[in-house]
Amino acid sequence: MSSLIERKSGKRRPIPIETVDAAGMAAAEERLSPAHRQWVASTGFRPMPGSCVVLPDPRGAIARVLIGVDRTDPLPALGDLARRLPEGVYEIADEGVIDDRDLLALGWALGAYRFDRYRKPGREPASLVVEGSTLRALQPIVDATAQVRDLVNTPTEDMGPEHLSQAVHALATEHKAKVREWVGDELLPANFPTIHAVGRASHRAPRMIELTWGKHSNPKLTIVGKGVCFDTGGLDIKPSDGMRWMKKDMGGAAHAIALAGLVMGAKLPVRLTLLVPAVENAIAGNALRPGEVIRTRAGITVEVDNTDAEGRLILCDALAFAAEQAPDLIVDFATLTGAARVALGPELPALFTNRDQLADDVIGAAEAVHDPMWRLPLWRPYRRMLDSYIADFANAGPSRHAGAVTAALYLERFVPEGQNWMHLDTYSWNDGDRPAHPRGGEAQGLRAFFRFLSERYS
């Protein structure tokens, strides 16, 4: 059963859910029958965010639901009700204190998600009735978010570079796009040396995946996603607690794939290129070693200070390749640094861009769709932290200061000065259940960037 269903005439009326807060509780109680007012009092219900009371009818069935909310934060208001409430069909009551019914419905649907590939779900989610126009607007976003979560949640045994390739091929089949890829040693004559260097130690061959779609005459849009399907840290091996969730290190690729699907599904007038460098950062006799120098696709030499700073290595070849086409815009997504999480926490991805107007536009879109992000600076004096005495620069350095900034500065070296570029350093993970955000893989910035791209290329 879908968590969102279209309203149909002639059906039995769904159970209404009314959003209430302290300021609106008195008005809500006035609309209740004396029996229901007594029930509310007897249960001790207080309209705090997340509190809920189910009101029975005379036959013992559910007549109405009151849910306490914060009206300034509508997205999570109904975000856990699809699983908390008994199975059935519900609707958003007209009398609630939150007016944005679409955001309420989106939160409901996002909260209904469960990853059930390896075990059966305990129960089906309850369903929320929405207007047909709302369902058509929200379902692509809900499906794209679920795709990101599914890809990130899948363990590496079932989500290696070849599986990311399968996801891109499925997308191409659905939208009549074209795919080409360079696999294993094919990367070397094709001039993707850093992708090969990072991924060569795995039993699964590294690859560069390219999808193209749209008319050649349309503005060029390139979306890039970091696809490190598992990150041991390489020879600079991670400790066990740092390695535990590294199946999520392909979260950037998951975002890029889902966003590309939204762009094609909406038929935005762009010439789209999706690039996914896909590898495992593994340990073997031929693993990339600290101190090696790689001549990248751009001709820039990079000293490998730390093999655990591998994401920026595979992205630099992808960004250089993207820039060769001189697109109107390059957007890349990556689970790039723990430093971004130290600075902003797990719920707020870090945005970097070389254009102030792009930052203003995408952050405005993020605020409009309640998909937050925060801009951090490309503070160019910090480039000195990546100095190398034998190469043009290094992929990391001895300082632990400004790690997210220096990583973004590394990527910027591969973006020509006149090229529009945005980089999102995303956690792609939710450590614990919260309304609308079940534990596990998470989509961050997906709605914001789709809104931004829809406005830019409308």
Side-chain angles (χ1 to χ4, degrees), residues 16 33 73 172 200 219 345 359 393 416 448:
S33 68
D73 193 16
R200 69 193 183 202
F393 51 91

Side-chain angles (χ1 to χ4, degrees), residues 92-105:
I92 300 169
D94 294 333
E95 302 87 356
V97 299
I98 294 179
D99 295 328
D100 196 331
R101 302 165 72 89
D102 285 1
L103 268 179
L104 290 172

Side-chain angles (χ1 to χ4, degrees), residues 4-315:
L4 294 180
I5 58 176
E6 184 176 354
R7 187 182 301 278
K8 301 290 185 180
S9 59
K11 300 289 185 179
R12 188 175 68 178
R13 184 177 179 183
I15 301 164
I17 300 173
E18 182 176 351
T19 56
V20 296
D21 61 9
M25 188 60 192
E29 288 182 320
E30 287 182 6
R31 291 189 291 271
L32 299 179
S33 68
H36 280 164
R37 285 196 293 272
Q38 180 59 46
W39 182 266
V40 170
S42 298
T43 60
F45 173 75
R46 297 291 182 271
M48 303 297 292
S51 60
C52 179
V53 62
V54 175
L55 306 178
D57 68 12
R59 301 185 306 276
I62 301 174
R64 194 175 191 85
V65 177
L66 301 182
I67 177 72
V69 298
D70 175 359
R71 69 174 78 191
T72 67
D73 193 16
L75 179 68
L78 309 186
D80 60 355
L81 288 191
R83 297 288 175 176
R84 283 177 65 186
L85 292 177
E87 291 183 49
V89 180
Y90 299 81
E91 66 177 352
I92 300 169
D94 294 333
E95 302 87 356
V97 299
I98 294 179
D99 295 328
D100 196 331
R101 302 165 72 89
D102 285 1
L103 268 179
L104 290 172
L106 178 61
W108 171 286
L110 296 181
Y113 170 86
R114 289 295 183 273
F115 183 61
D116 57 6
R117 178 168 179 171
Y118 301 102
R119 65 177 184 183
K120 294 181 179 179
R123 47 157 286 192
E124 294 292 335
S127 295
L128 186 72
V129 169
V130 296
E131 300 301 327
S133 58
T134 297
L135 183 61
R136 288 188 291 275
L138 294 185
Q139 198 63 58
I141 293 291
V142 173
D143 292 343
T145 302
Q147 182 181 28
V148 173
R149 290 170 169 176
D150 284 347
L151 290 171
V152 175
N153 282 329
T154 302
T156 307
E157 184 66 21
D158 295 322
M159 190 49 62
E162 68 275 26
H163 300 99
L164 284 180
S165 173
Q166 291 168 12
V168 175
H169 277 275
L171 201 63
T173 299
E174 180 180 356
H175 297 285
K176 298 180 180 179
K178 295 181 179 179
V179 177
R180 64 174 175 167
E181 54 188 316
W182 300 265
V183 182
D185 289 342
E186 294 173 358
L187 291 163
L188 294 175
N191 196 20
F192 295 108
T194 58
I195 298 172
H196 183 273
V198 171
R200 69 193 183 202
S202 174
H203 66 291
R204 288 166 158 170
R207 60 185 68 206
M208 176 67 164
I209 310 162
E210 178 194 43
L211 174 148
T212 53
W213 171 89
K215 295 181 180 178
H216 288 274
S217 57
N218 286 337
K220 294 179 182 178
L221 167 67
T222 301
I223 302 172
V224 183
K226 171 189 168 184
V228 177
C229 296
F230 195 85
D231 180 19
T232 65
L235 292 177
D236 286 311
I237 189 169
K238 292 179 182 287
S240 60
D241 59 344
M243 204 188 300
R244 174 62 179 88
W245 299 111
M246 281 299 99
K247 67 176 184 178
K248 77 177 186 68
D249 212 19
M250 39 61 66
H255 280 75
I257 291 168
L259 182 59
L262 285 171
V263 167
M264 291 186 287
K267 294 181 170 56
L268 295 187
V270 297
R271 174 63 175 173
L272 173 68
T273 299
L274 167 68
L275 300 176
V276 177
V279 303
E280 284 184 345
N281 189 19
I283 298 171
N286 64 339
L288 181 67
R289 292 177 292 272
E292 289 189 13
V293 174
I294 305 172
R295 186 172 297 278
T296 67
R297 182 183 185 88
I300 299 169
T301 57
V302 172
E303 182 182 10
V304 179
D305 177 81
N306 191 325
T307 63
D308 197 17
E310 84 298 330
R312 65 199 73 181
L313 289 175
I314 67 170
L315 284 173

